Amino acid sequence: PESPLAGFSTSLSQTPSISSISSEGREDLQVNRLETQMWIKPDIQKTDVDFSEILNAIQEIAKDVNIFFDELEGVNSPSKDDDSLLHHGNLTSTSDDASRLEVVGEEVPDKNKANGLYFRDGKCRIDYILVYRKSNPQTEKREVFERNIRAEGLQMEKESSLTNSDIIFVKLHAPWEVLGKYAELMNVRMPFRRKIYYLHRRYKFMNRIEKQISRFRGWLPRKPMKLDKETLPDLEENDCYTAPFSQQRIHHFIIHNKDTFFNNATRSRIVHHILQRVKYEEGKNKIGLNRLLSNGSYEAAFPLHEGSYRSKNSIRTHGAENHRHLLYECWASWGVWYKYQPLDLVRRYFGEKIGLYFAWLGWYTGMLFPAAFIGLFVFLYGVTTLNHCQVSKEVCQATDIIMCPICDKYCPFMRLSDSCIYAKVTHLFDNGATVFFAVFMAVWATVFLEFWKRRRAVIAYDWDLIDWEEEEEEIRPQFEAKYSKKERMNPISGKPEPYQAFADKCSRLIVSASGIFFMICVVIAAVFGIVIYRVVTVSTFAAFKWALIRNNSQVATTGTAVCINFCIIMLLNVLYEKVALFLTNLEQPRTESEWENSFTLKMFLFQFVNLNSSTFYIAFFLGRFTGHPGAYLRLINRWRLEECHPSGCLIDLCMQMGIIMVLKQIWNNFMELGYPLIQNWWTRRKLRQEYGTQRKTGFPQWEKDYNLQPMNAYGLFDEYLEMILQFGFTTIFVAAFPLAPLLALVNNIIEIRLDAYKFVTQWRRPLASRAKDIGIWYGILEGIGILSVITNAFVIAVTSDFIPRLVYAYKYGPCAGQGEAGQKCMVGYVNASLSVFLVSDFENRSEPTSNGSEFSGSPLKYCRYRDYRDPPHSPVPYGYTLQFWHVLAARLAFIIVFEHLVFCIKHLISYLIPDLPKDLRDRMRREKYLIQEMMYEAELERLQKERKERKKNGKSYHNEWP
């Protein structure tokens, strides 16, 4: 059994000396020791533990602390980058089952040599790969850099490429002593004892309920969405207490095998930490691998994947070959699309930063289920109530109502009944449940963010990120080069560093803000171009030869305008990336995180405005400022502004959102997976043509990984940006398109597996890096949540016909003054919402070519249009009616009431939901208490053991304790 004395505190530096504890304190330690044994699980209490044997085992482990591997000669390695380290690559047979998840005992060196994950001796595992070309002129810098690497204790081995003799691979290995030294410096937390959870006493009534629930669950089938952790136990890590690694207290840690004590991701992170602090040239700032990569001294730097992700054997019968194979089968495979993600394994392989992204994406996808269900319910409610909708009935039966042309000259008069289909489609999205759904989505956005904070807290606790703080970041080389002449003292490190004057910083920010404003103006100009296209082509389509297009000229105009707008969006995104990069570099951020935050904010602002500007135009401006027949408003006194369809503008907004959302998701998925697939396929094809299929399979792992695509330069930026923009589409205009959450849900289920497949199979293994949260993206999500409340209020009040119908039902309809608003109260609404126009009052350039004689056999005298205006023979022709002002007042009142109500609900929910779950807070307090007790016990037992050993050896000291 595992010793309960093998633990110590997470705050070792704060531990009081044992010799300084008084006699009363020692008695308290003994009492606490007895109390601590009360909460150990019953099966552990019943186990007969021979503590003397455990203490002997602990001493044996402690004796191995200073073991040095004879074959590790990193410090005494050659001081020059000579050819003695270079070996020409030989084709080795790389079997897929070469690497295993856990190394038990000694591995066969020949097997290690074959799998391409070890040095030529088969004992030293490759922790990091550097790639350079022999023809590169930066030889001297590389030699100094590699000499200093060996001086740090890292072992090095070189191998020429099998496909190009100019390419050299530098294999790096960190021995145990180097790992232990830098793990202590980096405060890497390692396990030292398994967790034993304390369960509070429950009432008998609650115990009975839990028994009944568990009995009921026994009748149900096993949860299909959970992965089988019994068959694949390596999916999650053992739940252990962790503490910062310390070489002096190494005997406290659980070390079964020194080769596997630090996992591969941790080893690579330690090696990368060393490489970032090694000098390559004399000078204060001539340091670090990143600078060598930027100046071309090295072509690439990456940790290795853990072998092949495919296997000839079944994972169920033979187990996983390695963690990469396990991730592919249980995460990246399409057959497990309905399963939960193995986040612990993702974090172990790719690091906390990537693990947090997939945790957030999975949480967002799970929260979309209720939103998609309610949105689908709203749509189906519109379908079921379609035949009972009085407004659509009146539109379909209005064969005697003739509508005025929607464009100049070529657009004909049309019956209102011709728009019957559009009226029915509009009812599917604009019905009585739309307001409820808008309120629900505003609340949903708040609940999503609040519960994500709780979920993040649980993940941070499980992944030991609660007390983790980012290291003091290094200054960007560009910042150092620009401001190296001005220095001031860093208040944290106490060292002089380059300094940017306040006036210089402000001037650069002003220029950057001006650039952002200019690019937003470019977006507005693009939208203006789309508007001109719409007003010009609607007349063209109205005079088209094909009857299908001629009769649906407005729909054709909207559809083609959306497709053109999508192409403009994609082209401008390329331009925006370059502009954002230029403006961010112009600002000269001090650190990489400041640069990343500045670039992220600019790119989000650019793409958000670019993606949603035309949608805002359709929602809030289309058909709002067109004037009326006989007095139309025109662009540049030439083009008549576009009008809404007789059934309203909501159908245009739905088409805009649906087409943009579907096309953008398809394009993003292709660029994320299709492009790397094509590139990797082309690389494999060239290798197959040059070396043949059989020889290509024998390439070592570093050669295979080098031929994969590197992770993009901006890290997870593209993945987050895509999801954040989708979140905006899902919430901002959701009142106009209730199916948006359903489309987002389907896309995200595919997106998770696409991203997983891309990370596991198509990309080089990224460096495992740590992070506590999703960074600046959380603030952007909160801003979108606030904006969504405002936009949905305006969509319901302005874009939809909800308010005009409500005003008619309570004020002007058959049920006026009765306090009812059912379908029977909507009789006559269509006629009341249309105004009358005298055809002879048309302007010369607006007068249609047809006189409307095809409807009644004689020229038309009057036509109808959507507005609340007086008839032509009234004292004030075409003036606004009283109903118009009632509708306008009701719209403004609805916006104010809706916003205040929803914001109050959002703030109330934020206040009621704590950021930290209560059970997690109790677990953290309990763990802190127990770790302190275990620390005292371990130290006491260790000192007693040392005292017994000294007595056996005949040594005694005065004033020793205990």
Side-chain angles (χ1 to χ4, degrees), residues 727-853:
F727 178 81
F729 246 84
T730 306
T731 54
I732 291 178
F733 293 104
V734 73
F737 192 56
L739 293 180
L742 180 62
L743 294 179
L745 174 63
V746 174
N747 175 78
N748 285 10
I749 293 175
I750 299 174
E751 180 76 20
I752 290 176
R753 304 306 162 182
L754 279 180
D755 284 348
Y757 185 83
K758 177 178 60 181
F759 272 94
V760 174
T761 68
Q762 302 302 309
W763 278 1
R764 297 173 191 164
R765 186 176 182 177
L767 181 70
S769 55
R770 310 200 83 189
K772 295 182 69 172
D773 49 34
I774 62 176
I776 194 175
W777 296 109
Y778 185 84
I780 293 176
L781 286 172
E782 286 187 324
I784 292 176
I786 295 173
L787 180 63
S788 67
V789 177
I790 302 172
T791 54
N792 281 304
F794 275 89
V795 167
I796 295 172
V798 178
T799 311
S800 74
D801 287 338
F802 175 76
I803 298 299
R805 293 175 186 176
L806 209 62
V807 171
Y808 178 81
Y810 284 103
K811 184 68 176 175
Y812 298 97
C815 305
Q818 299 179 13
E820 297 182 11
Q823 290 298 326
K824 63 179 182 180
C825 301
M826 297 303 297
V827 176
Y829 167 75
V830 173
N831 186 61
S833 63
L834 299 175
S835 300
V836 179
F837 177 72
L838 186 62
V839 175
S840 60
D841 290 342
F842 268 122
E843 299 173 299
N844 290 333
R845 53 182 172 178
S846 299
E847 187 174 357
T849 55
S850 172
N851 59 6
S853 58

Side-chain angles (χ1 to χ4, degrees), residues 84-96:
S84 62
L85 294 171
L86 178 60
H87 287 254
H88 296 285
N90 297 319
L91 284 171
T92 56
S93 175
T94 306
S95 60
D96 289 341

